[in-house]
Amino acid sequence: MDEHLDGAGFETRAIHAGYRPDPTTGAVIPPIYATSTYAQDGVGGLRGGYEYSRSANPTRTALESTLAALEGAAHGFAFASGLAAEDTLIRALCKPGDHVVLPNDAYGGTFRLFDKVATVWGIEHSPAPVTDVDAVRAAIRPGATRMVWVETPTNPLLSIGDIEALAAVAHDAGALLVVDNTFASSYLQQPLALGADVVVHSTTKYAGGHSDVVGGALVVDDDALAERIGFHQNSIGGVAGPFDSWLVLRGLKTLALRMERHSDNAEKVADFLARHPAVSQVIYPGLPDHPGHALASRQMRRYGGMVSFRVKGGEEQALAICAATSVFTLGESLGGVESLIEHPGRMTHASVAGTDLEVPADLIRLSVGIETSEDQIADLERALG
Ligand SMILES: *Cc1c(COP(=O)(O)O)cnc(C)c1O
């Protein structure tokens, strides 16, 4: 991390890490270095350590330093998507015959990557609920399990896993704890400080925050681990381009402000839904009746912007509600300033239909944006009828 930021708060790091005003122009924001190669002063005479933009690019470097600084870590890596980051991590850490414990309600794309891609290369996986430390311990195959993979909160059921306890279980077995921190964001949750070894982000979501870029990140503190990941990032090449890096970097500067407002608005939406007669269950870690509420209160700064709920009337009613909102746009993804509504069973989680990861048909997932809260609630009230 930049020395001038030692001890600085999250918001200060978000704005000042990774880049200082350009010495020649004074530009306070890193330019989009749209260049593939760099002139050398004699063979091997690199000016800023830059040689070729797959290996490193100054705009991406600024983003990678900021990602690291925000997780209190030494090393950040930016990728073309969250799944590109995950794929690189799998190849950096696993070989044929190795095994990974996955959340039993993992992000659909993560599950597909393990189930349909990694399996072909001999990397095995088995599911365990992140809420149950004993079940995770039981799913570990001694000598073979390389990673215990955790999402918390999970998607779309917003279950909470105890990062500290899961890190101990993974480490006892000689495995690494990987935490997908996409739903919480670095602002709400700091997995490395709780004992995790690797943090994964889809920066497409809260990190970017404006639904205008697809990206991913890996953040680690350990130097040897960073070297392996860096080698694989360059060897595989799924890197974030300079413009995408610039967009995510711009998003990160307001992450703290946005997460505060996402959390404010989601708490109000969850309260409203919990009192609505057409709603059978509200799933939000900020509600006292959520099974992970106490744990979330300990390991998260606030409860975030994602709210899931189930409706009376089954799938048909859920689909009708998804089609009836207007402040909430019907669409996949999450974490942008605008509110989104979706039906996981038919949309984001369609690929897990018929498996253990199938989600209830009457489930609706909201990504509560930062619009005026009253407008969000009025929109839901109209749609619920
Ligand atoms: C979106 C998402 C991913 C995948 O990221 P992409 O940027 O879409 O490749 C991984 N994990 C979680 C929790 C996500 O929400």
Side-chain angles (χ1 to χ4, degrees):
M1 198 194 306
D2 315 48
E3 274 157 37
H4 69 296
L5 293 174
D6 277 353
F10 186 92
E11 293 85 345
T12 308
R13 282 178 277 143
I15 292 164
H16 294 288
Y19 185 76
R20 292 211 242 183
D22 183 82
T24 48
T25 65
V28 295
I29 297 297
I32 300 165
Y33 281 90
T35 189
S36 60
T37 190
Y38 305 83
Q40 304 190 8
D41 298 320
V43 175
L46 307 182
R47 293 181 194 178
Y50 294 100
E51 184 173 38
Y52 183 61
S53 277
R54 169 165 34 73
S55 312
N57 173 284
T59 317
R60 196 176 95 217
T61 301
L63 169 61
E64 291 178 329
S65 309
T66 305
L67 288 163
L70 292 185
E71 299 275 353
H75 309 279
F77 300 90
F79 295 87
S81 70
L83 288 177
E86 295 183 13
D87 183 45
T88 303
L89 181 64
I90 294 169
R91 298 204 233 180
L93 294 184
C94 299
K95 60 182 188 321
D98 285 350
H99 172 256
V100 177
V101 179
L102 275 188
N104 69 346
D105 58 351
Y107 172 73
T110 299
F111 177 72
R112 184 177 55 201
L113 176 63
F114 277 99
D115 199 52
K116 299 279 193 287
V117 181
T119 314
V120 175
W121 300 95
I123 296 154
E124 298 176 12
H125 62 89
S126 46
V130 300
T131 50
D132 186 343
V133 176
D134 293 328
V136 170
R137 188 183 289 111
I140 287 176
R141 298 184 193 161
T145 301
R146 287 286 290 147
M147 300 194 270
V148 173
W149 192 286
V150 169
E151 290 176 28
T152 178
T154 64
N155 172 28
L157 294 174
L158 306 176
S159 302
I160 307 293
D162 185 335
I163 295 172
E164 211 165 358
L166 292 164
V169 165
H171 296 161
D172 275 352
L176 299 180
L177 184 73
V178 177
V179 176
D180 183 335
N181 206 20
T182 299
F183 267 44
S185 84
S186 324
Y187 178 68
L188 296 182
Q189 182 166 273
Q190 299 264 285
L192 298 176
L194 294 167
D197 302 286
V198 182
V199 169
V200 176
H201 285 281
S202 167
T203 55
T204 312
K205 318 294 169 51
Y206 287 109
H210 295 73
S211 304
D212 53 10
V213 61
V214 170
L218 299 175
V219 184
V220 300
D221 202 41
D222 183 81
D223 294 341
L225 200 52
E227 203 174 317
R228 278 194 75 75
I229 292 170
F231 173 80
H232 283 79
Q233 180 192 39
N234 184 44
S235 302
I236 296 169
V239 295
F243 181 51
D244 289 358
S245 297
W246 186 87
L247 283 169
V248 175
L249 193 55
R250 178 180 161 123
L252 286 175
K253 291 181 192 291
T254 56
L255 179 65
L257 284 172
R258 287 186 287 107
M259 293 316 294
E260 288 289 347
R261 184 59 65 86
H262 281 297
S263 300
D264 286 344
N265 287 357
E267 283 172 18
K268 289 177 191 157
V269 163
D271 271 351
F272 161 77
L273 292 172
R275 284 182 278 102
H276 199 285
V279 173
S280 56
Q281 188 191 0
V282 183
I283 305 166
Y284 184 64
L287 291 174
D289 69 356
H290 185 287
H293 178 66
L295 180 54
S297 305
R298 273 210 312 280
Q299 80 184 12
M300 297 174 73
R301 198 194 287 253
R302 294 191 66 184
Y303 306 103
M306 300 303 294
V307 178
S308 293
F309 65 106
R310 299 177 70 174
V311 291
K312 297 174 185 163
E315 179 172 59
E316 202 177 322
Q317 182 62 9
L319 294 174
I321 292 166
C322 289
T325 54
S326 58
V327 175
F328 284 81
T329 301
L330 178 59
E332 302 202 351
S333 196
L334 62 118
V337 291
E338 67 290 306
S339 291
L340 296 174
I341 187 168
E342 69 119 359
H343 185 264
R346 291 282 191 96
M347 295 169 63
T348 50
H349 289 63
S351 64
V352 296
T355 72
D356 291 348
L357 288 86
E358 185 168 319
V359 295
D362 58 6
L363 185 76
I364 294 173
R365 189 188 78 180
L366 302 177
S367 172
V368 181
I370 62 171
E371 301 96 339
T372 310
S373 170
E374 288 77 5
D375 295 335
Q376 296 172 336
I377 287 173
D379 189 41
L380 292 171
E381 191 153 35
R382 259 193 316 273
L384 285 163

